[in-house]
Amino acid sequence: MSTLSLDMITNILLRLPAKPLLRFKCVCSAWYNLITDPNFARLHLERSIFSKTNLHFVIKTPKLHLADFDTFKNPVELNYPLKNHKHKGAEIVGSCNGLLCIWNMDRDLTLYLYNPTTQTHKSLPVLPINTPFNYDRMNFSFGFGYDSVSKDYKCVRILQTLDNETGHFQSEVMIYSLKTDCWTKGPDVPYYFIYPKLSATALLHETIHWLGESVERVHLPIVGFSLRQETFSSITLPNLKDDLVGSMYLGVLEGCLCLSVNYFNYYEVWVMEEYGVAETWVRRFTIQKGDGYDILERPICYSVSRKELFYRQVQLRVVSVCMETMKTSAVQVAGSLCWDAHPCVENLLTLPEKSC
């Protein structure tokens, strides 16, 4: 290796998984400086995403494990923040570029960023819940993603409260920047939402999307928050059988915004083939329910063979949809039900814990 140029060594190392690279920092000072260079970490991540390599699943059973992508095999329990939390443990509220945003499922709404590859984490500065917001009488939701222009990971926290007598609502949007390690106030939300599920957000084109209901259970437009512009926008829903719709959830399927529509005995899966163009909503397929109580929440991904589509259900389980029969079956990991799953790409980003 000593006879090779630094460019050639870099080109070789960029093709390796992240975990061996973390060990190879010990080879020599030149390799240490190269592998710990943020630019090298960015190039390694971009290559892994482009080539669809170095992928795993982060699964919840109910503790978090790292498992083989596509097969859910060889689960390894992770050493993550909140692992031994005395109450409800950790809820994954978002994932992006191999990083997870985790909530402690407690009243203080504390968030953590966690990298399962480097086993590092960052607790976000605690935000107080001030008047007029009250934990028992407010709706709240989170979002997490990456802004490629500022090269910054950002979290969003939305609080909303409603005056039932006047119909007037108030909202508070706070945006966290990993670069500055602080929260700033964002613009107001255009609608009052009842969020069906805290983790039911969809990250696409560096925009976090929410789908909520008004207090009259009226389905509102999809609301997007651009992490780059830090502004809200809306997207029109497809034409549905409104009188029969039970519930709807957002997701991302093969780079397209996806809508899971739950009826009594079947589901419809819609995709927006051209982002932001309402006329391009297409019903991709229909899935029959096993019983009337199943509710599909969000698509996770296709299997490598494309014979299966993995889906998260609201009832804390992951199911596999057979693309030939359109029937669902529960995914099990080492004899236990899989509660949740997120595709996770290996990356070299280190998240050093800092005091708030």
Side-chain angles (χ1 to χ4, degrees):
M1 294 293 287
S2 61
T3 63
L4 300 180
S5 67
L6 181 60
D7 286 345
M8 187 170 292
I9 291 175
T10 302
N11 212 0
I12 294 171
L13 296 183
L14 283 174
R15 286 162 167 74
L16 299 181
K19 287 188 176 180
L21 290 173
L22 294 174
R23 297 196 302 271
F24 294 165
K25 291 191 298 183
C26 301
V27 171
C28 63
S29 59
W31 282 31
Y32 177 87
N33 293 332
L34 173 63
I35 296 170
T36 56
D37 185 342
N39 188 55
F40 179 88
R42 178 183 59 81
L43 292 174
H44 182 269
L45 175 64
E46 290 175 354
R47 191 182 188 285
S48 296
I49 293 174
F50 178 77
S51 60
K52 298 182 180 180
T53 56
N54 302 327
L55 285 171
H56 297 278
F57 272 138
V58 171
I59 59 176
K60 185 175 181 179
T61 66
K63 291 192 173 181
L64 300 184
H65 294 71
L66 198 67
D68 293 346
F69 182 72
D70 189 73
T71 64
F72 294 87
K73 293 181 179 179
N74 303 314
V76 176
E77 190 170 323
L78 293 168
N79 186 26
Y80 55 97
L82 305 172
K83 179 178 180 178
N84 299 313
H85 196 270
K86 62 183 179 180
H87 296 301
K88 297 181 180 180
E91 171 83 3
I92 299 175
V93 299
S95 64
C96 178
N97 294 343
L99 300 185
L100 304 179
C101 182
I102 300 175
W103 174 44
N104 68 350
M105 300 179 70
D106 214 338
R107 298 175 69 90
D108 61 3
L109 308 185
T110 302
L111 297 175
Y112 297 81
L113 297 185
Y114 170 62
N115 187 340
T117 304
T118 60
Q119 288 290 290
T120 58
H121 74 276
K122 173 76 176 71
S123 58
L124 275 58
V126 177
L127 276 177
I129 301 175
N130 299 317
T131 306
F133 304 101
N134 179 286
Y135 190 91
D136 298 320
R137 300 184 62 185
M138 71 180 181
N139 287 316
F140 60 93
S141 187
F142 308 112
F144 172 61
Y146 181 68
D147 175 7
S148 62
V149 172
S150 62
K151 295 181 173 56
D152 192 11
Y153 288 90
K154 297 180 180 180
C155 294
V156 179
R157 189 191 78 172
I158 300 177
L159 304 181
Q160 289 188 314
T161 184
L162 175 71
D163 186 328
N164 291 318
E165 294 183 359
T166 65
H168 176 71
F169 72 91
Q170 292 180 274
S171 64
E172 179 187 75
V173 179
M174 300 297 292
I175 306 164
Y176 171 80
S177 161
L178 181 60
K179 265 189 174 181
T180 62
D181 190 29
C182 67
W183 294 89
T184 57
K185 187 169 176 55
D188 288 337
V189 187
Y191 302 103
Y192 177 79
F193 280 115
I194 296 175
Y195 301 101
K197 192 79 170 65
L198 282 175
S199 60
T201 61
L203 176 65
L204 182 65
H205 300 314
E206 302 182 8
T207 300
I208 303 168
H209 302 83
W210 289 270
L211 177 64
E213 297 175 339
S214 71
V215 288
E216 295 84 12
R217 292 297 189 269
V218 175
H219 293 291
L220 299 172
I222 297 167
V223 171
F225 181 78
S226 169
L227 294 170
R228 183 180 302 179
Q229 306 293 336
E230 297 190 354
T231 56
F232 284 100
S233 61
S234 62
I235 296 176
T236 305
L237 294 171
N239 293 322
L240 303 170
K241 306 168 188 175
D242 290 337
D243 55 332
L244 300 176
V245 173
S247 60
M248 298 187 294
Y249 294 87
L250 281 178
V252 176
L253 188 60
E254 292 192 307
C256 294
L257 200 61
C258 174
L259 184 68
S260 304
V261 185
N262 289 273
Y263 295 95
F264 179 73
N265 57 0
Y266 66 96
Y267 317 101
E268 288 182 348
V269 178
W270 292 71
V271 295
M272 177 177 269
E273 294 185 332
E274 185 176 347
Y275 179 73
V277 181
E279 292 77 17
T280 63
W281 279 111
V282 175
R283 184 173 58 192
R284 184 60 56 86
F285 40 76
T286 301
I287 304 171
Q288 295 300 317
K289 285 189 177 182
D291 59 63
Y293 299 100
D294 292 342
I295 300 177
L296 284 188
E297 181 186 313
R298 61 172 175 81
I300 298 170
C301 64
Y302 282 105
S303 65
V304 174
S305 66
R306 293 186 63 86
K307 292 182 179 180
E308 297 174 283
L309 173 60
F310 301 115
Y311 239 99
R312 158 81 183 259
Q313 284 191 330
V314 172
Q315 291 86 348
L316 290 179
R317 66 175 183 174
V318 173
V319 296
S320 169
V321 181
C322 176
M323 299 311 295
E324 293 182 359
T325 63
M326 289 298 163
K327 293 183 178 179
T328 62
S329 58
V331 171
Q332 291 197 340
V333 179
S336 301
L337 283 177
C338 182
W339 290 18
D340 197 5
H342 293 261
C344 185
V345 61
E346 290 186 4
N347 68 93
L348 298 167
L349 182 63
T350 301
L351 295 168
E353 181 62 88
K354 300 177 183 177
S355 59
C356 298

